[in-house]
Every structure is written in C-alpha cells, then in structure tokens.
Amino acid sequence: MLKRVFLFVATNIAIMLMVSIVLAVLGQLGVLDLAGGQGALLVICAVWGMGAALVSLALSRKMAKWTLGVRLIDGRSGNADLDWLYNKVDQLRQQANLPMPEVGVYDSPEVNAFATGPSRKRSLVAVSSGLFRSMDRQEIEGVLAHELSHVANGDMVTMTLIQGVVNAFVLYLSHIVAAIVRGALSRDDERGPSPLGWIAGQLVFIAAQIVFGLLGSIVTAWFSRQREFRADAGGATLAGRGAMIGALRRLQAFAGRVDNKRNPELATLKIAGGSRLLTLLSTHPPLELRIAALEGRPV
C-alpha cells in the first residue's frame, strides 16, 4: 500500500515538474502570448494532457515492477520453467527482430500476462504465476508472442499518444464549458464575476471532465481493441496460429481470473478478453471474436 501511494505521489510530482518547466519555457519563448486567448488555453491543456501520459509511459516499466512485485529472470535460475520462459522470449524476439526485453514473473492467481515500457529497447514482458499453473508451454508461447507483438507494433507509445490527445481535449472542452457557465451567471452582475458563478463554474468543470473523459475513453478503447486484433495476428505469425488460438481458448476457461483493478493502467496491454456488455468501454474485444478473426470467420 505504501509503495503504491509513493508511486502515485512521485508520478504526480514528476508530471507537475515537467509541465511547469515546459510552460515556463513556452512562456519565455513567447509562444503563449503569440497564441493568445483560446490558443494559449489549448497549448496549456495539450502540455498537461500529453505531459501526464508521457510521464506515465516513462515510468510504466518501473511502476509495473514495483506495484505487481515482478521478479526479473535471466535464464540462469536453475528453474526449468523460468529458464524456458526466458529462452522462449529470446527466441520469439529474435524472430520479430526486437531487442531483448526484460522478462519477469509476478505472483498472482490471475491467468494473464502484459507488456509495457517506453520503447522497444526498454520494454518488459511479464507473466503471472497463475498463467504458469494453468497453461501448457504451447499456449504460453502464444501468449508471449502476443505480448511481443505489442512491443513490435509500438502499442505502448501509440496508446500513450492517443491518451495524451484525448486528455488535452477533455481539459480544453471542460474549460470552455465551465467558462460559458461562469459567463452566463455573471452576465447581469455589474460588479463582475460573482462567487456563485465561480463555484458553479468549478462544479461544471469537474462534471464536464467526467462526461468528456467517458467519451474519450470510448475513443481510446476502440483503438485498443483494434491493436488487440493486430497483436493476435502477430502472435499467430510468431508462434503459429494453433498456439495463439489455443492460448485464447484457454483464457476463455479462466475469464474470471483476470485482475485489472490493482493496475488498471496495464489493462490495455494485457491479453485478457473484453466484455460484450460493455463493448464501447472495453480495451479488449471479446475472446470469441478474437478467435473467430484468427480462424478466418466473420467477426
């Protein structure tokens, strides 16, 4: 618990420092004055939105290791399963022409794995102990190939950039809506902006962020689902279609053993399936649709 609080505080401090430095530089260069009015607001929102996403990406590998307790392996542990895992990642990454990522395991009953990191050269592929206990080696190979396809496709960076753009527009549009409300409440007040207008504006700003944030989540979830189909196809190319389909079928049997609550920021790059009931907000397509796509059946 203390570790998570520390990471949360450290991440937010890093974001504020980075944003403050960037805005100070832009101010000195006269960019904000040149943009003026709504242009300056858009620049500030873009810096905040992209800044938060980029800092999270930069810290993603370290945060995943700390919060999930990922134990790195090097292929020389003397444990046959762990050494096989490391060597299999090495084999698959050579097929994909990738640098060797960090490889790790984390103690969790969930049947899952994830890839994260700020770049191909600084990536991490980790699998849960629950996955080890529930899948055979061919199925695990399919999972590893899927995660390495995320790395090869640059999905960590792509999703970060998309999230950054969405963050920027959520902030910008929320400011605009709040400003309209404050202006409407203060229009007939000769003394200028009223306390009521300011309070109402703040409440509307918070509400607008929730609404626009929800709409933005639909956009990012759609992009994430498309990249899952692409990672499945890449996994089938690296490990074989049978291994990839076998891994997804095995995941269907353990659909309830996926934990996206402890680290929701990793949800988009795990291999879990999504929900048909919440398709618009799901980062993953339903497993049956992913299997159908690999089998060449209509999705």
Side-chain angles (χ1 to χ4, degrees):
M1 179 65 180
L2 289 176
K3 186 183 292 183
R4 292 186 195 176
V5 172
F6 171 77
L7 283 173
F8 175 79
V9 173
T11 300
N12 280 277
I13 289 174
I15 291 170
M16 288 188 288
L17 285 174
M18 192 197 79
V19 169
S20 298
I21 292 171
V22 172
L23 290 177
V25 170
L26 292 177
Q28 289 295 318
L29 294 176
V31 173
L32 298 181
D33 292 334
L34 185 63
Q38 296 303 319
L41 175 61
L42 183 57
V43 170
I44 292 171
C45 290
V47 172
W48 271 106
M50 293 300 297
L54 291 174
V55 169
S56 295
L57 176 65
L59 298 176
S60 60
R61 191 171 55 160
K62 185 176 292 294
M63 289 179 68
K65 287 188 286 189
W66 281 14
T67 57
L68 288 176
V70 174
R71 178 163 52 93
L72 297 181
I73 58 177
D74 60 6
R76 299 189 297 272
S77 68
N79 181 301
D81 288 333
L82 296 182
D83 292 345
W84 173 85
L85 176 69
Y86 182 89
N87 292 327
K88 179 55 65 175
V89 171
D90 190 20
Q91 175 194 331
L92 292 170
R93 70 92 187 170
Q94 289 183 54
Q95 289 177 231
N97 196 28
L98 289 171
M100 185 66 187
E102 289 185 331
V103 183
V105 294
Y106 62 100
D107 186 26
S108 172
E110 73 167 351
V111 181
N112 222 320
F114 68 87
T116 191
S119 68
R120 293 180 180 180
K121 292 183 179 180
R122 298 174 59 205
S123 60
L124 165 69
V125 174
V127 302
S128 70
S129 56
L131 182 141
F132 253 127
R133 292 192 293 266
S134 305
M135 289 189 173
D136 62 32
R137 288 192 171 184
Q138 184 183 40
E139 292 163 348
I140 294 174
E141 183 176 356
V143 171
L144 295 175
H146 173 96
E147 298 305 335
L148 284 169
S149 292
H150 274 308
V151 177
N153 295 337
D155 288 342
M156 293 88 78
V157 175
T158 300
M159 292 308 300
T160 296
L161 293 176
I162 292 171
Q163 187 63 61
V165 171
V166 169
N167 289 346
F169 276 100
V170 167
L171 283 172
Y172 179 72
L173 294 174
S174 298
H175 275 293
I176 295 299
V177 172
I180 292 173
V181 171
R182 281 194 297 267
L185 292 176
S186 302
R187 187 174 303 155
D188 299 325
D189 194 334
E190 296 179 355
R191 295 170 297 176
S194 66
L196 176 62
W198 184 87
I199 294 173
Q202 293 301 108
L203 294 175
V204 168
F205 179 67
I206 294 171
Q209 283 191 84
I210 295 172
V211 173
F212 290 131
L214 182 63
L215 294 175
S217 295
I218 294 175
V219 174
T220 55
W222 182 86
F223 276 102
S224 179
R225 291 195 298 273
Q226 304 316 304
R227 301 193 83 78
E228 282 303 312
F229 282 121
R230 189 179 175 192
D232 285 343
T237 299
L238 290 176
R241 183 166 301 190
M244 191 68 248
I245 292 175
L248 295 179
R249 289 196 185 282
R250 180 67 67 178
L251 285 173
Q252 279 185 309
F254 295 97
R257 287 171 57 183
V258 176
D259 179 13
N260 287 328
K261 294 181 179 179
R262 280 201 295 167
N263 292 81
E265 69 277 3
L266 297 176
T268 59
L269 293 181
K270 287 187 175 183
I271 193 173
S275 167
R276 279 186 177 275
L277 295 178
L278 297 172
T279 300
L280 288 178
L281 294 175
S282 178
T283 59
H284 289 62
L287 286 165
E288 56 266 31
L289 296 186
R290 294 166 63 181
I291 292 171
L294 289 173
E295 292 178 337
R297 294 185 282 115
V299 176

